[in-house]
Amino acid sequence: MTLPSRVQLIDVGPRDGLQNEKTPVPAAVKVALVHRLQAAGLTEIEVTSFVSPKWVPQMADNAEVMAGIARQPGVRYSVLTPNLKGFEAAVPTRPDEIVVFGAASEAFSQKNINCSIAESIERFAPVVEAARAAGIEVRGAMSCTVGCPYEGDIAPERVGYLAGLMKQIGVQRVDVADTIGVGTPRQVQRAFEATLAHFDLDHVSGHFHDTYGQALSNTLSALQMGVWNFQSSVAGLGGCPYAKGATGNVATEDVVYLLRGMGIDTGIDLDALIDAGVFISEQLGRPTQSRVARALLARRAG
């Protein structure tokens, strides 16, 4: 077993973490969060999504947020674009990467985006083509790769099927996501094994939710396979509106602490990251969901 010496983290807090907040978060707060994350050393940040404000009102200020960011060299700013209309709205804001999303579960695909898996790929194909033609990177988010709230366990073959379709339309890298946080290490490894039949290790990432407290264990299981790219959310923000009981993404602070303890470099300042998590948590009126942050803050106070 050879563990990676360095791990790249994508913080999805500004987009995936905030999208389901019922109270509007001001654009200035979202911009400030991005600034704090990049100041802490994050070099990949998922900023916002270009979706209909009817469905995701929290992201209606997408262009304002993108315009407000003081961009740093070497930082990749990504946005979610589920269709060609969203992509065309995103292009003037100069994203470095766009994200399309599909599900390994037919039922989840229907509930989430009102179409089958195959239909979703047909919808994404012109988006991917347009992005690649414009020199914009493309990432594919693969949700429900180990479990679905409607279908239960997801067979690795379904994950491989989705990964193959993503590859066919030109997606450059994919996320293996445990959207509802039910996965355990061996299940996660099987999902990665299916994905690695289509994408190499440099073009896959892990995206874990912590509903059943397995996110760090699943991160370790992916690390043991050589995976070196992961997504996480500052302060453990986020959830899934189509998965009852699903909690937030694994906290970036907790992942950084794990990696630091293993001698794996992330380039991230943990203290500055904790402060970023405290900032957004205070704005939302609740404590940070990062266990590491809570423990280290208690130590500071003591």
Side-chain angles (χ1 to χ4, degrees), residues 108 144 148-150 179-182 211-212 239-247:
F108 192 85
C144 292
C148 168
Y150 312 108
T179 309
I180 60 173
V182 296
T211 311
Y212 285 79
C240 179
Y242 301 98
K244 187 177 181 180
T247 57

Side-chain angles (χ1 to χ4, degrees), residues 22 177 257 282:
K22 291 182 172 55
Y257 182 85
E282 288 177 345

Side-chain angles (χ1 to χ4, degrees), residues 15-78:
R15 198 283 299 177
D16 192 15
L18 294 179
Q19 69 177 359
N20 297 319
E21 290 292 328
K22 291 182 172 55
T23 302
V25 179
V29 171
K30 296 172 184 173
V31 170
L33 176 59
V34 171
H35 288 166
R36 287 170 180 264
L37 291 173
Q38 63 189 23
L42 269 299
T43 56
E44 291 201 52
I45 303 171
E46 195 171 282
V47 179
T48 187
S49 62
F50 285 80
V51 296
S52 169
K54 174 184 176 182
W55 299 111
V56 189
Q58 188 65 252
M59 299 286 110
D61 56 2
N62 41 39
E64 182 182 356
V65 172
M66 288 293 285
I69 296 170
R71 301 191 183 208
Q72 286 188 356
V75 177
R76 175 181 291 187
Y77 305 92
S78 60

